[in-house]
Amino acid sequence: MTVPEFRPSHVVPPDGMATWAAPDAARPLVPLDPLLPVEVVERRGDWALAQCSNGWSAWVDGRLLLAVPQGPPAAGQPAARTADPRPLLAAAEGALGRYRQSVEELLAGQLDREAFAERARGTRIGAVVDGDAVWLYDARHERWCFCDGASLVTFAVSEGPAADGDAAAAAGADRREDAGNGDRLPTAERFPPPVDGRGDRP
């Protein structure tokens, strides 16, 4: 049975995705099949309530859903566009510049170690560039994004979804007080090295 006026807005990632009965990660349900069309009917921060064509719905990590291309906008509406990578590039550039300035002041004796650590606390910067492919870390949403120069899509998330963006940012800052949090950074398994023209790893 199909839900009346079911209009899929997204599809499930190729690997499928976990679901929950509520946006709190405490009540898991059965996972969704790969590339299943769903309609997002509600959002709470990173969470999205995904409804399937048969009417069944569950909460998912909305950052991982793949948007379905939409038709041309109606007259008078702005044209849809893919996520612009420039704000995230500018944020990474700014954060790196501030961190470098702190390093310069530390090495010049203008900051002691304690002041340097306090200023750098919570800083997370990530950028991997390989030709026209770029992976950027979005610290606000705790996710890695892939950019081909023109569009930006979520590649992997480093934390579970949060219902409140501000609360998630505060929680992320608390977690980052522990210097031993490198397990949340990309690994070779999640970010495989590029393949050369012969299909071999360098």
Side-chain angles (χ1 to χ4, degrees):
M1 177 179 177
T2 302
V3 175
E5 298 184 5
F6 173 74
R7 306 181 82 174
S9 58
H10 296 76
V11 296
V12 173
D15 295 331
M17 69 187 313
T19 67
W20 292 269
D24 60 8
R27 298 165 56 193
L29 298 174
V30 294
L32 292 177
D33 292 334
L35 302 179
L36 178 72
V38 298
E39 180 180 3
V40 172
V41 295
E42 184 179 347
R43 286 190 180 270
R44 294 187 192 175
D46 297 333
W47 292 95
L49 182 58
Q51 181 174 273
C52 302
S53 61
N54 63 1
W56 186 81
S57 62
W59 290 93
V60 301
D61 187 341
R63 299 170 297 178
L64 298 176
L65 288 170
L66 306 176
V68 172
Q70 302 297 317
Q77 292 184 350
R81 57 184 300 182
T82 57
D84 188 342
R86 289 173 294 183
L88 198 51
L89 284 165
E93 184 179 15
L96 184 59
R98 290 188 295 273
Y99 186 81
R100 178 175 179 176
Q101 180 63 35
S102 296
V103 170
E104 294 284 358
E105 293 178 18
L106 173 67
L107 296 178
Q110 299 169 348
L111 281 180
D112 58 23
R113 284 284 180 181
E114 184 177 346
F116 173 75
E118 181 63 29
R119 184 183 291 184
R121 179 171 291 136
T123 300
R124 300 195 83 185
I125 307 167
V128 179
V129 180
D130 183 10
D132 62 347
V134 180
W135 290 264
L136 297 169
Y137 185 67
D138 181 351
R140 180 178 179 185
H141 298 102
E142 298 190 323
R143 63 182 176 180
W144 282 89
C145 299
F146 174 77
C147 174
D148 61 3
S151 62
L152 194 70
V153 296
T154 299
F155 181 78
V157 295
S158 55
E159 291 295 336
D164 185 338
D166 293 335
D174 290 341
R175 284 190 298 269
R176 289 190 288 272
E177 289 182 3
D178 177 9
N181 64 354
D183 60 318
R184 296 189 179 93
L185 296 177
T187 63
E189 181 180 60
R190 290 168 63 187
F191 284 66
V195 178
D196 65 22
R198 298 167 301 174
D200 298 328
R201 303 262 181 217

